[in-house]
Amino acid sequence: MANLLISRVCNGECAYCFAVEYLHEAASDQAGRFISLDAFEQRLDWLESSAIRQVRLLGGEPTLHPQFPALLARVTARQKPLLLFTHGWMPEQALQALEALPAEACRVIVNLNARLPGGNADENEARRRRVLERLGGRAQPGYNISQRKLHLEALIPLILETGCRKAIRLGLAQPTLGGTNAHLLPKHYRQVGAQIASFAEVAAEAGIVLEFDCGFVRCMFSESELETLHAAHTDVGWRCNPVLDVDLDGRVFHCFPLAERFSAHLGEGRDAASLRAELETATRPYRQAGVFSECSSCLHKQQGICTGGCLASTIRRFSSHPFSLTL
């Protein structure tokens, strides 16, 4: 798995965005704001050599790329399935290009709690609803959790009325190491876990399933809540590993929250496996801990069932306290 960054601009304004510093870096570099078609072809070649079938696109906001339809045409020419991450307010040419793709070869994760600055909120939401309606089964709602109180109930009628995919991708908003983005504090995980389990049961009655992104921890849920999640066919997971976010200039980040500390670079003969191994080696010492002090002695962590949560959150845990690593 790897994500290809194609845009370093975004017209959203999400308090929890982990790429704010990254986007600010690009503000004064007009030439480096979008990937070129030649560089994109090279990225597709790299995916081929790494035996990665799916093309995952993100930014910034990827649909703002002025040659977005041409990029999709290159993906289609290689007969690769597409996964796109977007806030949902996309240019018409981008929407038409996505509509033209076969539904079985295209999945568009639409972040439903993203925010646009200014404007008419109702008009913006109506515009995004039309995008969901037009994409239909290609679209899948996403929801990033950055506060202890969730507002998920409104997603059920939205999914049923727009005909999009009956699944919600839940993500935990994670901290960047040097930034001030809004994120969910580990001390609120249990409170959020109870809400997720309760919502999963309600969603399942409407035929809607939940899918977990990375950073979740097993102890967010009681044993009875885990049973509820499994009964609701929730795709649970306690993952934190190198995602491989590939920047426009060839840098490869462990993931965005850790971009400033853990990165590598594309080079001759460097496939995804070798880059992932390098980043795993670099972060291994930090994996001894987790987001909670109890993680170090947790049986589930020792057995590899749970990774101990987001590594960025773990490192931030020690940011104000001197500590040493035993290698």
Side-chain angles (χ1 to χ4, degrees), residues 8 24-34:
R8 294 188 69 178
H24 283 170
E25 288 176 10
S28 60
D29 181 13
Q30 294 292 326
R33 301 175 77 190
F34 302 106

Short mmCIF file of all heavy atoms in Angstrom, two decimals, residues 8 24-34:
data_model
loop_
_atom_site.label_atom_id
_atom_site.label_comp_id
_atom_site.label_asym_id
_atom_site.label_seq_id
_atom_site.Cartn_x
_atom_site.Cartn_y
_atom_site.Cartn_z
N ARG A 8 -0.49 19.88 -3.85
CA ARG A 8 -0.08 20.48 -2.58
C ARG A 8 -0.91 21.72 -2.29
O ARG A 8 -0.44 22.66 -1.63
CB ARG A 8 1.41 20.82 -2.61
CG ARG A 8 2.30 19.61 -2.69
CD ARG A 8 3.77 19.96 -2.51
NE ARG A 8 4.06 20.40 -1.15
CZ ARG A 8 5.28 20.74 -0.73
NH1 ARG A 8 6.30 20.68 -1.57
NH2 ARG A 8 5.47 21.13 0.51
N HIS A 24 1.50 24.86 3.58
CA HIS A 24 2.08 26.19 3.68
C HIS A 24 3.43 26.26 2.96
O HIS A 24 3.77 27.28 2.37
CB HIS A 24 2.26 26.58 5.15
CG HIS A 24 0.98 27.00 5.80
ND1 HIS A 24 0.86 27.19 7.16
CD2 HIS A 24 -0.25 27.26 5.29
CE1 HIS A 24 -0.38 27.55 7.45
NE2 HIS A 24 -1.07 27.60 6.33
N GLU A 25 4.18 25.17 3.01
CA GLU A 25 5.46 25.12 2.31
C GLU A 25 5.28 25.36 0.81
O GLU A 25 6.13 25.96 0.16
CB GLU A 25 6.13 23.75 2.50
CG GLU A 25 6.69 23.51 3.89
CD GLU A 25 7.25 22.12 4.01
OE1 GLU A 25 7.37 21.44 2.97
OE2 GLU A 25 7.55 21.70 5.13
N ALA A 26 4.17 24.88 0.27
CA ALA A 26 3.93 24.96 -1.18
C ALA A 26 3.32 26.28 -1.61
O ALA A 26 3.25 26.57 -2.80
CB ALA A 26 3.01 23.82 -1.61
N ALA A 27 2.88 27.10 -0.65
CA ALA A 27 2.16 28.32 -1.00
C ALA A 27 2.98 29.26 -1.88
O ALA A 27 2.44 29.94 -2.74
CB ALA A 27 1.72 29.03 0.28
N SER A 28 4.30 29.29 -1.66
CA SER A 28 5.15 30.21 -2.42
C SER A 28 5.85 29.54 -3.59
O SER A 28 6.66 30.16 -4.27
CB SER A 28 6.20 30.83 -1.49
OG SER A 28 7.00 29.81 -0.92
N ASP A 29 5.55 28.27 -3.81
CA ASP A 29 6.21 27.53 -4.89
C ASP A 29 5.17 27.12 -5.93
O ASP A 29 4.64 26.01 -5.91
CB ASP A 29 6.91 26.29 -4.31
CG ASP A 29 7.64 25.48 -5.37
OD1 ASP A 29 7.82 26.01 -6.49
OD2 ASP A 29 8.02 24.33 -5.09
N GLN A 30 4.86 28.02 -6.83
CA GLN A 30 3.82 27.77 -7.82
C GLN A 30 4.15 26.56 -8.69
O GLN A 30 3.27 25.77 -9.04
CB GLN A 30 3.63 29.01 -8.71
CG GLN A 30 3.09 30.23 -7.97
CD GLN A 30 1.65 30.03 -7.52
OE1 GLN A 30 0.86 29.39 -8.19
NE2 GLN A 30 1.33 30.57 -6.35
N ALA A 31 5.43 26.39 -9.03
CA ALA A 31 5.82 25.30 -9.93
C ALA A 31 5.68 23.93 -9.28
O ALA A 31 5.51 22.93 -9.97
CB ALA A 31 7.25 25.51 -10.40
N GLY A 32 5.76 23.90 -7.96
CA GLY A 32 5.75 22.61 -7.28
C GLY A 32 4.44 22.27 -6.60
O GLY A 32 4.42 21.45 -5.67
N ARG A 33 3.36 22.85 -7.06
CA ARG A 33 2.08 22.64 -6.39
C ARG A 33 1.34 21.42 -6.90
O ARG A 33 0.47 20.89 -6.20
CB ARG A 33 1.20 23.88 -6.55
CG ARG A 33 1.83 25.14 -5.98
CD ARG A 33 1.00 26.36 -6.26
NE ARG A 33 -0.15 26.43 -5.38
CZ ARG A 33 -1.15 27.30 -5.53
NH1 ARG A 33 -1.15 28.12 -6.56
NH2 ARG A 33 -2.16 27.31 -4.69
N PHE A 34 1.65 20.97 -8.11
CA PHE A 34 0.96 19.81 -8.69
C PHE A 34 1.98 18.89 -9.34
O PHE A 34 2.99 19.36 -9.90
CB PHE A 34 -0.06 20.26 -9.74
CG PHE A 34 -1.11 21.20 -9.21
CD1 PHE A 34 -1.07 22.56 -9.54
CD2 PHE A 34 -2.13 20.74 -8.40
CE1 PHE A 34 -2.02 23.43 -9.05
CE2 PHE A 34 -3.09 21.62 -7.91
CZ PHE A 34 -3.04 22.96 -8.24
#
